[in-house]
Amino acid sequence: MTIAVLLKQVPDTTAKIAVSGGRVDQLSVSKWSTSPYDEYALEYALKLKEAGAGNLVAITCGPQRASKMLTDAAAVGADSMLHILADTSEMDSEQIQSILAAAIRHCEAEIVLCGKQAADTNSGSTGPGVASRIGAACVGMVSEVEVEGGSFSALRASSSGNERVSVSKPCLFTFDKAATELRRPNVKGIMMAKRKVIETVSPQDLGVEIGDSKVNIESQNSPPEKPPGQKFEGAESVPIVVLKLREEANVI
Amino acid sequence: MPYEALDFYDVDSLLTEEERMVRDMVRDFVDNDVLPKIEHACRDGVFPDEWRVTLGEMGVLGAPLKGYGCPGLSYTAYGVICRELERGDSGLRSFASVQGSLAMYPIWDFGSEEQKNYYLPKMTSGEWVGCFGLTEPDYGSNPGDMITKAEDKGDHFLINGAKMWITNGTIAQVAVVWAKLDGVIRGFIVEKGDEGFSAPEMKGKHSLKASVTSELVFQDCKIPKDRILPGVKGLRGPFSCLNNARFGISWGAIGAAQACFNSAREYSLSRIQFEHPIASYQLIQNKLSWMLREITKAQLLAYHLSQKKDSGEWIPEHISLAKMNNVDIALEIARVARDIHGANGILDEYPVMRHMANLESVKTYEGTHDIHNLILGRHITGIQAFTRGIN
């Protein structure tokens, strides 16, 4: 059996994002990283693999630089890597989903893990969209997955309580932040990763006709600057501070 | 804010992908496991044992050694590991230097097959800690006149003497000890618990506080005959080890300097005096640009040296120059950074005074700054100036 984890490379959450001409200037991004929710998906995919659920393939769709994520995934234990080389910057969700669904079929994966949303677009459509295309049960916003006999048990946490969901394959889980430590590679893993070859294909190689994007991003712009902080001095300002904390900041 | 290493000439782009992955791994360890604990470790004067465990798990101990379960990385990767560790603390890097270059290396290069198979896997995994006994209370820069001696008693060796300033000594299971056997310097493996061997910790250091420094005391210490290192005689043994450790230090010092530079830059941008950030004043900019200049030169020196080390085209004097220069500028950068931080620079809220105090040791150990000058002086003139007859 094959487990697939879908990884997306996004600007690091600490990287400064420059906008020029109504578009995010990708060349100005100083550091690209694996989308944080995808990292939890990878961690649990590795746990499933270690529990004997199957081999793990790490999949990404994106430009050349995205291959670093796959090598990093191999260093922590992914068995194989598939890179669909494509410029995804102007693709819509449906196009991406159709490519990823074809990639999963190509790898014959029956269990798929991914982040609940990407840190850059935050659209949250990839998981459910891919699940519907491959005919898999989709369990969203999970924070834990484990093998349970022939099925998979996932924990969905919310502020009102926890829900445990059991599904059989084919299935897809989208990950929320999980209460687990992300593993660090070690030298042996890094040296093994060097020996593993990334399978690089185009959408056409997978038999996907991506067509035209149905979505046109009209413009992107930076968020408005935060208003400056307010400073209060002396005991007489306490009532004002309390009022502001209650009514403006909504923290008390 | 995540750590952004100063790399003005993008020297790290010359690293292989594997070396960069190793760098990122160690950097992550320092950010998440070391920096949150380092000041406490220094206050308490301890080397946190979990760092030993994690260094073993990451697989970086004895980085450039091949076989016997060792990592088999390049010397460049070893340098990068030292740099990233010392960005955290020189004591942490010292632990790794001693384990890999001073304790594992002599066993790997001069040990018997049995010794290699027995010790190296336990040491690369971090399960066993090693130390290196060369320096004595009365013989530092002049180890050739050491007093510690070994006697062949037929079915065992008997060692008598004392070593001082031994990093990891008290926590080590294995000590590689250099002693004179019939007047010739030989390497011996002494284990914790051997009869007549003790390793009391030296207290009261103002430097390398998160590192264990010890004395090694041998009073009729009895060890089996198979604990002698068969492959080397004379000072070449300990000096081969020191070459590797000094090489790592030439990279490590850059890490400490980068940490001080970052702290000074950040502090000067946020510290307001006379209505403006002090970074806007020429005296501060002059200091910062001098730091950048020296760090960049040190990076190029270390990188080029590591290429020579990996290709085998190096001489010990190359390493002397890099160790001496890079530690020297790192210490000066730490001092100037302390200056930029004003009174705040003496607090452990900032890393600069800790690095500064650490680097005073780093400047002194593994060949003092002056001794490296004399090594270069001998190389230039052909005349040794370590000693002369005084009548």
Side-chain angles (χ1 to χ4, degrees), chain B residues 75 78-80 82-83 86 93 97 242-257 295 297-306 309 318-330 362 365-366:
Chain B
Y75 270 96
Y78 172 54
V80 169
C82 288
R83 183 187 70 190
E86 196 148 0
R93 200 267 310 133
S97 286
L242 291 170
N243 276 329
N244 287 331
R246 290 165 179 171
F247 165 80
I249 293 170
S250 74
W251 277 83
I254 296 169
I295 290 172
K297 289 194 289 190
Q299 285 170 322
L300 291 166
L301 197 61
Y303 179 77
H304 189 70
L305 176 65
S306 69
K309 195 87 174 71
H318 290 153
I319 294 177
S320 285
L321 176 71
K323 190 271 180 185
M324 174 183 74
N325 178 78
N326 291 6
V327 176
D328 191 36
I329 65 102
V362 180
Y365 70 22
E366 308 264 349

Side-chain angles (χ1 to χ4, degrees), chain B residues 20-38:
Chain B
R20 275 197 292 269
M21 287 171 81
V22 170
R23 173 197 68 189
D24 293 346
M25 169 185 75
V26 180
R27 197 171 275 185
D28 182 72
F29 162 65
V30 168
D31 278 332
N32 292 303
D33 297 15
V34 176
L35 292 179
K37 293 203 176 111
I38 184 62

Side-chain angles (χ1 to χ4, degrees), chain A residues 12 14 30-31 67-68 71-72 75 184-191 193-194, chain B residues 2 17-18 21-22 24-25 28-29 33 54 57-60 69 71-73:
Chain A
D12 191 83
T14 60
S30 58
K31 189 179 174 195
S67 69
K68 182 186 184 297
T71 312
D72 288 345
R184 193 179 279 137
N186 59 30
V187 167
K188 278 201 181 73
I190 289 170
M191 292 176 101
K194 194 175 65 171
Chain B
E17 185 179 18
E18 183 179 286
M21 287 171 81
V22 170
D24 293 346
M25 169 185 75
D28 182 72
F29 162 65
D33 297 15
T54 310
E57 283 170 355
M58 288 194 295
V60 297
L73 291 166

Side-chain angles (χ1 to χ4, degrees), chain A residues 94-178:
Chain A
E94 286 210 315
Q95 291 173 305
I96 301 275
Q97 290 159 21
S98 62
I99 293 171
L100 290 173
I104 292 162
R105 281 193 288 264
H106 174 77
C107 301
E108 300 177 351
E110 293 175 285
I111 309 149
V112 183
L113 295 86
C114 62
K116 66 169 182 167
Q117 66 200 61
D120 55 353
T121 54
N122 281 327
S123 78
S125 59
T126 299
V130 168
S132 78
R133 280 163 203 271
I134 61 170
C138 180
V139 187
M141 318 279 235
V142 307
S143 54
E144 188 185 303
V145 171
E146 54 193 43
V147 195
E148 211 179 59
S151 60
F152 298 88
S153 167
L155 184 73
R156 306 179 74 234
S158 74
S159 53
S160 54
N162 290 340
E163 181 177 48
R164 193 160 272 290
V165 183
S166 180
V167 286
S168 51
K169 61 180 187 181
C171 50
L172 182 148
F173 302 96
T174 76
F175 268 79
D176 202 340
K177 191 170 172 16

